């Protein structure tokens, strides 16, 4: 079996690399790191909208909606390059909401939203988690009352990252409390500037911001309903499958820099790279990174065949985020006490990346469903084991 990119895909990869090298600025790289790689802040919008003009933000979408009609393998390759080179790569609108609208939205909704998403003009924030629900998304309580021409929303959301820089909320809410929990949920697109929305920051151990969002008598026009009323839970499950596709590019970059560090750093008259224990650890990680790469592109292969990855997304997300933790743990071992220093210390190595990503990697095994949730999905849907 041949896992190589095609000649055309390799040419595209090289073109993307040259573009990123030319257009990246120190301000954009710093902003992206501070934001936790999400999209929506000013510097990120500048470069991403230039990429979007080339069709690279949504390359798999039909041309009528701003895409290029390319394969998902090409799309995944672009995201991997963006992560590796420090660009925002966490796109809610383009990579989670947009594909869901493509599959389940009305023609009017597709025409209204997809071209603006593909151009990078609009970014969404996920609105799933609530204080009482945690990982059980069928336990949502945000109430959306049908008032004829609009829905009236009241309730709370928690850990809604991106709300402070995004334009719209990709929201799951309850439109029927009288039926089974999963049958009374609907999806909506809400303008985050709507009167009655209060966004309060919550800073994670990674240093970037997530949010608490309160809805008080917020009016949402009926045409913002995604698909059919009360069928939102099924759309939500599809959107989650898209969310759990984790490019490892930025951690692969950290790994490459740690490898170079071992070649250049002399201890007791010899490079660290000659230490047998360090060599064994790096070789093990190199193998795991390759496994992650294959799991990642397997998802693209499933999409290219017309399917939606399900438990396979959980496999990739679990293995990739836990591999990321192993990369920075080994980085900590190799750098020793230097590994704990932040970028602003004069003694820090690799610009403090190992310390930064050590904290970030812990958060990433939690969002989009914890590793425990992912393993439950793999057991039930992948292996057919009972709940």
């Amino acid at each position: 079996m041949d896992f190589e990119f095609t000649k055309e895909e390799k040419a595209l990869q090289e073109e993307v690399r040259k573009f990123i090298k030319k257009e990246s600025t120190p301000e954009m790289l710093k902003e992206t790191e501070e934001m936790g790689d999400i999209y929506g802040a000013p510097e990120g919008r500048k470069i991403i909208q230039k990429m979007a003009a080339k069709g690279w933000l949504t390359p798999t979408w039909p041309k009528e909606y701003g895409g290029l009609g390319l394969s998902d393998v090409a799309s995944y390759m672009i995201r991997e390059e963006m992560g590796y080179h420090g660009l925002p790569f966490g796109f809610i609108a383009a990579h989670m909401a947009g594909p869901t609208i493509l599959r389940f939205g009305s023609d009017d909704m597709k025409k209204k939203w997809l071209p603006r998403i593909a151009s990078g003009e609009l970014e969404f924030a996920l609105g799933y988690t609530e204080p009482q629900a945690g990982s059980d998304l069928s336990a949502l309580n945000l109430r959306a009352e049908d008032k004829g021409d609009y829905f009236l929303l009241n309730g709370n959301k928690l850990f809604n990252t991106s709300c402070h820089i995004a334009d719209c909320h990709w929201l799951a809410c309850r439109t029927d409390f009288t039926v089974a929990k999963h049958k009374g949920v609907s999806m909506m697109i809400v303008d985050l500037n709507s009167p009655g929305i209060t966004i309060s920051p919550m800073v994670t151990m990674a240093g970037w911001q997530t949010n608490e969002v309160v809805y008080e008598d917020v009016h949402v026009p009926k045409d913002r309903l995604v698909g059919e009323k009360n069928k939102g839970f099924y759309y939500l499950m599809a959107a989650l499958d898209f969310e759990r596709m984790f490019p490892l590019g930025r951690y692969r970059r950290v790994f490459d820099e740690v490898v170079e560090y071992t070649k250049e750093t002399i201890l007791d008259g010899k490079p660290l790279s000659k230490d047998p224990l360090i060599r064994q650890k790096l070789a093990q990680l190199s193998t795991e990174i390759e496994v992650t790469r294959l799991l990642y592109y397997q998802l693209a292969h499933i999409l290219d065949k017309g399917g939606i990855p399900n438990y396979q997304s959980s496999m990739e997300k679990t293995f990739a985020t836990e591999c990321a933790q192993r990369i920075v743990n080994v980085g900590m071992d190799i750098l020793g006490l230097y590994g704990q220093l932040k970028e602003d210390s004069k003694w820090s190595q690799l610009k403090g990346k190992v310390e930064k990503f050590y904290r970030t990697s812990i958060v990433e095994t939690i969002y989009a469903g914890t590793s425990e949730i992912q393993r439950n999905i793999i057991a039930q849907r992948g292996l057919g084991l009972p709940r």
Side-chain angles (χ1 to χ4, degrees):
M1 190 173 291
D2 186 2
F3 290 100
E4 285 294 315
F5 292 138
T6 64
K7 182 179 177 182
E8 292 75 18
E9 289 165 347
K10 288 179 180 177
L12 176 60
Q13 185 180 43
E14 188 58 30
E15 187 180 358
V16 170
R17 285 174 178 169
K18 287 180 179 177
F19 173 88
I20 292 173
K21 184 177 180 181
K22 178 184 176 186
E23 299 291 343
S24 289
T25 64
E27 292 79 13
M28 183 277 298
L29 296 172
K30 183 175 176 56
E31 178 194 87
T32 303
E33 188 173 311
E34 290 175 350
M35 291 290 162
D37 302 296
I38 57 176
Y39 176 57
E43 294 299 323
R45 291 196 185 224
K46 292 178 186 175
I47 188 169
I48 295 304
Q49 288 178 5
K50 290 180 180 178
M51 292 191 72
K54 292 176 174 289
W56 293 346
L57 182 57
T58 55
T60 61
W61 290 13
K63 293 181 180 178
E64 64 182 299
Y65 298 129
L68 298 173
L70 297 180
S71 67
D72 277 283
V73 169
S75 174
Y76 274 49
M77 178 267 292
I78 292 172
R79 288 186 67 191
E80 180 79 356
E81 290 297 326
M82 294 167 74
Y84 188 87
H85 292 96
L87 271 66
F89 68 89
F91 299 89
I92 310 302
H95 297 154
M96 302 171 203
T100 308
I101 293 172
L102 265 174
R103 284 165 173 76
F104 305 111
S106 65
D107 287 342
D108 286 344
M109 176 164 270
K110 292 175 185 176
K111 291 175 184 174
K112 179 176 181 178
W113 294 99
L114 294 181
R116 299 176 70 193
I117 292 172
S119 70
E121 174 192 343
L122 291 179
E123 174 58 327
F124 293 1
L126 291 178
Y128 299 159
T129 308
E130 295 182 7
Q132 81 293 338
S135 297
D136 182 7
L137 292 180
S138 67
L140 301 178
N141 276 342
L142 179 71
R143 177 186 293 271
E145 296 177 74
D146 191 335
K147 295 292 187 180
D149 294 336
Y150 63 91
F151 292 102
L152 187 66
L153 270 60
N154 281 286
N156 292 52
K157 292 286 182 182
L158 198 63
F159 303 129
N160 284 193
T161 307
S162 302
C163 278
H164 58 298
I165 55 172
D167 308 286
C168 299
H169 217 178
W170 175 253
L171 192 71
C173 52
R174 187 160 297 284
T175 40
D176 191 341
F177 282 83
T178 65
V179 296
K181 291 192 296 183
H182 68 284
K183 292 184 177 179
V185 172
S186 295
M187 296 291 301
M188 297 179 188
I189 300 171
V190 182
D191 187 336
L192 279 167
N193 290 317
S194 302
I197 297 177
T198 303
I199 301 171
S200 302
M202 303 169 69
V203 179
T204 69
M205 65 181 294
W208 38 262
Q209 180 175 333
T210 185
N211 302 285
E212 178 187 22
V213 186
V214 177
Y215 275 75
E216 292 180 295
D217 292 333
V218 176
H219 292 222
V220 180
K222 279 288 190 63
D223 65 359
R224 302 294 184 95
L225 178 70
V226 179
E228 297 182 45
K229 183 180 171 183
N230 295 329
K231 290 192 175 179
F233 190 76
Y234 305 103
Y235 311 146
L236 179 57
M237 292 298 102
L240 278 172
D241 290 334
F242 290 118
E243 181 182 357
R244 292 168 180 157
M245 300 174 187
F246 189 90
L248 197 65
R250 57 185 171 157
Y251 285 96
R252 191 162 53 79
R253 178 70 173 266
V254 173
F255 174 77
D256 288 348
E257 293 185 10
V258 169
V259 170
E260 288 304 309
Y261 178 83
T262 66
K263 295 176 182 176
E264 297 168 356
T265 304
I266 307 298
L267 183 65
D268 297 331
K270 293 190 296 186
L272 286 175
S273 57
K274 288 196 172 183
D275 183 304
L277 182 57
I278 288 175
R279 293 165 65 93
Q280 291 293 311
K281 288 184 176 182
L282 293 177
Q284 175 66 27
L285 281 178
S286 179
T287 305
E288 294 181 21
I289 289 171
E290 183 63 13
V291 171
T292 302
R293 176 175 174 270
L294 297 178
L295 287 171
Y296 179 69
Y297 281 104
Q298 181 198 38
L299 304 179
H301 177 73
I302 293 171
L303 288 167
D304 278 334
K305 295 294 182 184
I308 299 178
N310 184 260
Y311 66 88
Q312 300 94 335
S313 295
S314 295
M315 285 181 174
E316 196 272 342
K317 198 265 181 180
T318 304
F319 196 86
T321 53
E322 293 184 358
C323 179
Q325 288 190 352
R326 291 189 286 273
I327 289 172
V328 289
N329 285 344
V330 169
M332 279 285 183
D333 289 344
I334 291 174
L335 267 62
L337 293 176
Y338 294 114
Q340 300 178 33
L341 300 175
K342 295 180 183 296
E343 181 180 6
D344 56 4
S345 167
K346 69 176 183 180
W347 301 108
S348 69
Q349 304 293 319
L350 305 181
K351 298 181 178 178
K353 282 187 179 179
V354 171
E355 187 277 339
K356 170 76 174 177
F357 282 94
Y358 182 88
R359 289 183 285 116
T360 303
S361 69
I362 295 171
V363 178
E364 287 173 334
T365 56
I366 299 171
Y367 67 60
T370 64
S371 290
E372 289 77 13
I373 292 292
Q374 306 306 328
R375 288 189 169 89
N376 279 339
I377 292 171
I378 296 166
Q380 292 169 19
R381 303 179 195 169
L383 301 178
L385 300 181
R387 294 174 65 88

